[in-house]
Amino acid sequence: EELIMVCLQKGTELVQEIANALFSLPSTEDPDGPIIKLPPPTTKLPREKHLPKPKPLTKWELFAQMKGIKKHKKNKRVWDEQTGTWKRTHGYDRANDDKDIPIIEAKPTDEPGEDPFAKRKAEKKQRVDKQEKNRLENLKKAAKVGALPSHIQLAATALPVTGTQKEAPKKASKEDLENVAGFAATATASGGKFDKKLPGEKPPKHTGKYRKFLPVVEGKGMGAQEKQQTEKILNQLLAKSSHEILDVNKAVTMFNVKKERQRKKEKETSSSTPSKLKTKKKPLKSSSKKPVKKSSKTKH
């Protein structure tokens, strides 16, 4: 507890000294309070990482510097003469796009039978390839100086990233060479059985499992093994095509019809009365006498 009290007292004294030193400096009045201008720093703190090295100038930058060409900021939108609207300078739906041109005027220098659209496409591809080649060359130059950004990975050129060491090519071990030789020896149709062996060559290692076949001659217990094998294959085939053997919809329909008939039969038996209690109805006898028709005629 005494140590804590001493530390608090010492900290209070130091903070008070800092406050006194700040308020002793010249200040300016402000609605939020006095503003103090701090003196210039006297002690330089060390930097954690070294300063980034300047990138070497590219070919175009050297040419522009030699010719005095200054970089001007281009507009993002330009006037499109074909549609009569403002469009982007680059990218999708850009102005004056070659794809939007339906007709290209022929020139006297054009070769007969040459497709102008395919020619433009090929020229554009050449420009893109050239630009990519120049970009990679600029990155190579930057990597030699040590000014390559660490987030750029040059997998195509296998350049080391700044701050890392380039991995040396791994030397093939004896085991790797034996494995490759074994693969090459067993690559034939016979699996290397009839190939000539080199002096000191070891037989290839068989890592897989050997296939087991039933003997041709029937012996003791062979009938049961063959039966089991046949049943296994048959069960696999039936399991795969079980949906074809059994028509589920038809079976459900037949079951429902059978159940409905049984329900109707039970209902009829429960509602009907015993035969002894039934009243016997006598059939009505038809009278043989025919009704006499009165004639409407009268004698005068």
Side-chain angles (χ1 to χ4, degrees), residues 222-232:
M222 287 305 302
Q225 290 184 9
E226 190 174 357
K227 185 179 179 182
Q228 289 177 2
Q229 192 175 11
T230 309
E231 285 181 354
K232 187 178 179 182

Side-chain angles (χ1 to χ4, degrees), residues 13 116 160 226 267:
E13 292 176 359
E226 190 174 357
K267 191 176 181 181

Side-chain angles (χ1 to χ4, degrees), residues 122-187:
E123 289 176 354
K124 182 181 178 181
K125 189 177 180 182
Q126 288 178 1
R127 290 196 302 269
V128 172
D129 294 342
K130 185 180 178 182
Q131 185 68 20
E132 183 66 17
K133 185 180 177 182
N134 294 338
R135 187 182 72 86
L136 292 175
E137 287 180 358
N138 293 332
L139 289 174
K140 284 181 182 180
K141 290 180 182 178
K144 288 179 181 178
V145 182
L148 185 68
S150 59
H151 65 277
I152 296 177
Q153 301 292 336
L154 296 177
T157 53
L159 289 174
V161 182
T162 307
T164 60
Q165 294 182 355
K166 188 176 181 180
E167 295 182 0
K170 188 179 178 182
K171 192 176 181 180
S173 61
K174 184 180 178 182
E175 187 178 356
D176 295 338
L177 294 174
E178 287 180 356
N179 292 335
V180 173
F183 285 134
T186 56

Side-chain angles (χ1 to χ4, degrees), residues 2-285:
E2 293 180 0
L3 180 62
I4 294 172
M5 294 299 294
V6 171
C7 291
L8 288 173
Q9 186 178 359
K10 194 67 176 175
T12 306
E13 292 176 359
L14 292 173
V15 172
Q16 188 63 42
E17 287 182 5
I18 293 171
N20 295 336
L22 287 174
F23 280 100
S24 64
L25 295 172
S27 61
T28 56
E29 293 296 331
D30 192 79
D32 297 332
I35 297 175
I36 300 169
K37 187 178 180 181
L38 297 175
T42 56
T43 306
K44 291 184 178 181
L45 297 175
R47 184 182 172 90
E48 182 184 0
K49 296 181 180 179
H50 61 82
L51 289 170
K53 296 180 181 179
K55 294 182 181 179
L57 298 176
T58 61
K59 286 184 178 180
W60 166 250
E61 289 174 349
L62 289 171
F63 178 77
Q65 190 176 6
M66 184 175 62
K67 296 291 183 179
I69 301 172
K70 294 182 180 180
K71 189 176 181 180
H72 298 285
K73 189 176 181 181
K74 295 181 181 180
N75 295 327
K76 292 184 178 180
R77 291 185 175 272
V78 293
W79 180 258
D80 188 13
E81 297 178 357
Q82 298 177 10
T83 58
T85 55
W86 292 92
K87 287 189 175 183
R88 298 185 184 92
T89 310
H90 304 286
Y92 174 74
D93 195 19
R94 61 181 178 272
N96 303 321
D97 192 1
D98 295 342
K99 295 180 180 179
D100 297 337
I101 300 174
I103 300 172
I104 299 175
E105 295 182 3
K107 298 179 182 179
T109 56
D110 293 344
E111 296 181 3
E114 187 179 17
D115 188 1
F117 295 98
K119 185 180 178 182
R120 283 195 176 191
K121 194 174 182 180
E123 289 176 354
K124 182 181 178 181
K125 189 177 180 182
Q126 288 178 1
R127 290 196 302 269
V128 172
D129 294 342
K130 185 180 178 182
Q131 185 68 20
E132 183 66 17
K133 185 180 177 182
N134 294 338
R135 187 182 72 86
L136 292 175
E137 287 180 358
N138 293 332
L139 289 174
K140 284 181 182 180
K141 290 180 182 178
K144 288 179 181 178
V145 182
L148 185 68
S150 59
H151 65 277
I152 296 177
Q153 301 292 336
L154 296 177
T157 53
L159 289 174
V161 182
T162 307
T164 60
Q165 294 182 355
K166 188 176 181 180
E167 295 182 0
K170 188 179 178 182
K171 192 176 181 180
S173 61
K174 184 180 178 182
E175 187 178 356
D176 295 338
L177 294 174
E178 287 180 356
N179 292 335
V180 173
F183 285 134
T186 56
T188 56
S190 62
K193 186 176 181 181
F194 303 104
D195 296 342
K196 292 182 179 180
K197 305 292 181 183
L198 297 173
E201 183 181 356
K202 295 180 180 179
K205 298 177 182 178
H206 188 80
T207 55
K209 295 181 180 179
Y210 290 97
R211 289 185 64 186
K212 294 182 179 180
F213 297 95
L214 294 174
V216 180
V217 182
E218 188 175 351
K220 187 178 180 181
M222 287 305 302
Q225 290 184 9
E226 190 174 357
K227 185 179 179 182
Q228 289 177 2
Q229 192 175 11
T230 309
E231 285 181 354
K232 187 178 179 182
I233 296 170
L234 186 61
N235 290 333
Q236 289 178 357
L237 293 173
L238 290 175
K240 286 181 181 178
S241 59
S242 60
H243 62 281
E244 297 176 0
I245 296 172
L246 177 63
D247 192 353
V248 180
N249 296 330
K250 190 174 180 180
V252 171
T253 307
M254 290 177 67
F255 177 78
N256 292 335
V257 171
K258 190 176 180 181
K259 200 171 183 181
E260 189 67 25
R261 286 179 181 175
Q262 190 176 0
R263 193 185 295 112
K264 284 183 179 180
K265 194 174 181 181
E266 289 176 359
K267 191 176 181 181
E268 288 176 1
T269 53
S270 62
S271 62
S272 62
T273 55
S275 60
K276 292 181 179 180
L277 298 176
K278 284 183 179 179
T279 56
K280 294 182 179 179
K281 294 182 180 180
K282 294 181 179 181
L284 295 173
K285 293 182 179 180

